[in-house]
Amino acid sequence: MSLQYSKELQKFFDVSGVTNGDVIFVPTLGSTELLGIQRYSISTNAKNVYYHLLLRRDLPKKKFHFNLHQYLNFFRLRANIKNLSEGIGNGSCTFYCDTDDLSLQYSKLGSVEFKTLHPPIDQTLKTKNRKQKGPLIVSCLGDAREEKGFQYLPRI
């Protein structure tokens, strides 16, 4: 899968006219994409770009002894982050998470420091006076994660 992602990245860069020194922001990615970016970055025709990568998924819990798959994914992710940060050619790579808690968790992997890049919030959504009648509809976009309070929904 990462080889395919690497090839697709090459096609995208060629078609879109990406050149050395350009900034590339990838808003959501996992191990496959990290490895694909790393593979592309060490290829002979790679562009020296500045990656800004946002990881948004929770890290596995520390109880690995019950789940070998989870254990392997954890160490694969840590290795991919380390390898990508060290082997990007003449470009660079900055890593982000979308919450302070996730940034701290990922930084504790010991590979690189993660910065927090909060999602932009439409300030008009904070209006206290509700003018519409009828039920209030609440939406949660993206993955159901603890940072979003998903575990509290059954109590509402």
Side-chain angles (χ1 to χ4, degrees):
M1 296 264 298
S2 62
L3 181 57
Q4 181 63 32
Y5 188 85
S6 176
K7 290 177 182 179
E8 292 297 323
L9 192 60
Q10 174 70 54
K11 286 181 195 175
F12 170 73
F13 282 7
D14 291 343
V15 169
S16 62
V18 170
T19 61
N20 290 334
D22 284 350
V23 175
I24 307 297
F25 177 67
V26 184
T28 304
L29 69 162
S31 288
T32 299
E33 294 84 8
L34 285 171
L35 189 54
I37 291 170
Q38 179 193 355
R39 284 182 179 206
Y40 168 76
S41 297
I42 61 174
S43 67
T44 55
N45 51 349
K47 307 285 189 222
N48 293 321
V49 298
Y50 299 94
Y51 291 99
H52 293 266
L53 308 175
L54 178 64
L55 283 80
R56 305 177 78 185
R57 291 180 173 70
D58 292 330
L59 286 172
K61 302 294 183 208
K62 295 281 185 175
K63 300 176 183 176
F64 295 131
H65 56 279
F66 294 115
N67 190 333
L68 180 60
H69 179 71
Q70 189 179 37
Y71 176 81
L72 293 174
N73 281 342
F74 177 82
F75 285 100
R76 186 177 300 130
L77 177 65
R78 185 170 72 178
N80 288 348
I81 291 169
K82 183 177 189 293
N83 292 339
L84 180 58
S85 67
E86 292 174 355
I88 201 83
N90 292 327
S92 72
C93 192
T94 304
F95 292 91
Y96 304 90
C97 290
D98 60 353
T99 66
D100 293 331
D101 183 48
L102 274 181
S103 294
L104 183 62
Q105 287 178 41
Y106 275 91
S107 292
K108 284 183 178 180
L109 289 174
S111 303
V112 296
E113 179 184 352
F114 279 76
K115 299 176 181 178
T116 302
L117 184 63
H118 296 287
I121 303 294
D122 182 347
Q123 296 302 318
T124 62
L125 296 175
K126 293 184 177 183
T127 305
K128 292 182 181 180
N129 297 330
R130 192 162 170 249
K131 296 176 183 174
Q132 293 179 334
K133 303 272 188 231
L136 174 65
I137 299 172
V138 179
S139 298
C140 178
L141 302 175
D143 298 338
R145 298 186 352 220
E146 288 182 14
E147 294 89 31
K148 296 177 182 178
F150 180 78
Q151 69 276 20
Y152 301 117
L153 285 178
R155 295 186 208 159
I156 295 177

